[in-house]
Amino acid sequence: DQQVKQNSPSLSVQEGRISILNCDYTNSMFDYFLWYKKYPAEGPTFLISISSIKDKNEDGRFTVFLNKSAKHLSLHIVPSQPGDSAVYFCASNTGNQFYFGTGTSLTVIP
Amino acid sequence: NAGVMQNPRHLVRRRGQEARLRCSPMKGHSHVYWYRQLPEEGLKFMVYLQKENIIDESGMPKERFSAEFPKEGPSILRIQQVVRGDSAAYFCASSLDGHNSPLHFGNGTRLTVT
C-alpha cells in the first residue's frame, strides 16, 4: 500500500531551466511534507519541508508547493544545476511514521 | 561532525549468521528511525524508537529482527539468522521531536548476505 507516490521514475532537464518533481499522496491525515535528495552510496539529505497549513515554502532555488485538495506536492528547482543530479524522494508524516515515495532520478544536462 | 553516524558502512554475513547495525543519532536527538531500501525500491519504514522505548515497530518483520535504543549508547538493529533476502541498505535517521521536524539520515549500512 503505497501512500506516497512518485509516478515519474526519471526526469532530464537542461542546465539553467526549471526542474519540477511531482508527488501524490493518498492519506488526508498527512500534515507534514518533505523532500529529500539522495546521491549513490549516501543517505538521503533533507532539502525542504512544508506543513499542511501552508501551500508554498521557498528556500533559495528550491520551492515546494502543496495542493491539499488534489493531494499533490511538487518541488521546483530553478535554475537547475548539474550538481542537482540525484534521486529525489518526497515524504509525508502522520503519527509515528514517515512515508516515502519511490523516488525520481533527476539528471541535469550541462 | 554532529551528523547521524552509522557503522559499519558495509557488512557481509553468511546465511544463518547474525548482523548488528549501529546508529548514533545527531546530538540532541532522541528519536530514531530505521528504514530499509531494497534494490530499485524506496525507503520502507521498519521501526521508530525513543530512548529505551520502541514506539512503533509495525514495519519490522515479526521474526529474526529486533531493535533497541538504550539509555546509553547507539541504537542497534539486530538481524538473526540472516537470509539472502535480508541483503539491502539499512538507513538510520534521527529527529528532534518525532513529528513536524525533519528526519536526518546517516549514510547507511549495506548488508550483503552470501
Side-chain angles (χ1 to χ4, degrees):
Chain A
D1 178 23
Q2 192 70 24
Q3 298 198 47
V4 178
K5 298 178 183 178
Q6 294 177 257
N7 293 319
S8 298
S10 62
L11 174 68
S12 291
V13 171
Q14 287 290 130
E15 181 179 3
R17 306 294 287 266
I18 185 170
S19 295
I20 300 176
L21 297 105
N22 294 302
C23 178
D24 297 298
Y25 61 95
T26 58
N27 190 337
S28 57
M29 298 299 291
F30 286 154
D31 58 4
Y32 183 55
F33 304 86
L34 313 92
W35 282 95
Y36 285 82
K37 171 177 166 179
K38 185 181 183 302
Y39 294 119
E42 293 185 11
T45 301
F46 169 69
L47 275 177
I48 192 168
S49 64
I50 187 168
S51 77
S52 59
I53 61 172
K54 301 175 80 172
D55 54 21
K56 177 182 174 182
N57 188 26
E58 193 171 349
D59 183 1
R61 296 185 299 114
F62 301 93
T63 303
V64 56
F65 294 91
L66 177 62
N67 182 333
K68 290 184 286 295
S69 61
K71 294 192 180 71
H72 181 79
L73 184 71
S74 63
L75 175 69
H76 292 208
I77 307 172
V78 56
S80 301
Q81 300 172 354
D84 296 330
S85 296
V87 177
Y88 289 78
F89 292 95
C90 63
S92 51
N93 164 265
T94 184
N96 295 326
Q97 292 191 28
F98 287 77
Y99 297 86
F100 285 80
T102 51
T104 296
S105 178
L106 173 66
T107 301
V108 179
I109 304 164
Chain B
N1 187 336
V4 178
M5 302 300 293
Q6 287 188 252
N7 68 81
R9 287 298 308 272
H10 300 276
L11 182 62
V12 180
R13 286 287 178 265
R14 290 200 178 100
R15 278 180 297 171
Q17 291 185 318
E18 178 180 288
R20 280 186 179 239
L21 289 64
R22 293 174 183 77
C23 169
S24 296
M26 282 182 72
K27 189 175 181 180
H29 287 191
S30 59
H31 299 254
V32 166
Y33 301 75
W34 285 92
Y35 282 80
R36 174 163 67 175
Q37 185 178 27
L38 294 167
E40 308 303 323
E41 293 188 14
L43 293 157
K44 300 295 186 188
F45 169 80
M46 298 183 76
V47 62
Y48 164 39
L49 310 104
Q50 295 181 28
K51 282 286 186 181
E52 299 185 276
N53 287 306
I54 297 174
I55 307 301
D56 184 343
E57 57 181 348
S58 59
M60 288 267 275
K62 293 289 185 284
E63 298 177 353
R64 303 188 297 108
F65 285 72
S66 62
E68 63 177 9
F69 188 17
K71 186 176 179 181
E72 301 291 337
S75 175
I76 306 288
L77 179 67
R78 182 181 178 208
I79 312 171
Q80 295 178 289
Q81 299 172 351
V82 295
V83 301
R84 286 219 173 108
D86 297 332
S87 295
Y90 292 83
F91 291 98
C92 170
S94 70
S95 78
L96 190 59
D97 66 9
H99 191 68
N100 289 345
S101 65
L103 299 183
H104 296 271
F105 283 85
N107 281 330
T109 294
R110 181 161 298 281
L111 172 66
T112 302
V113 179
T114 61

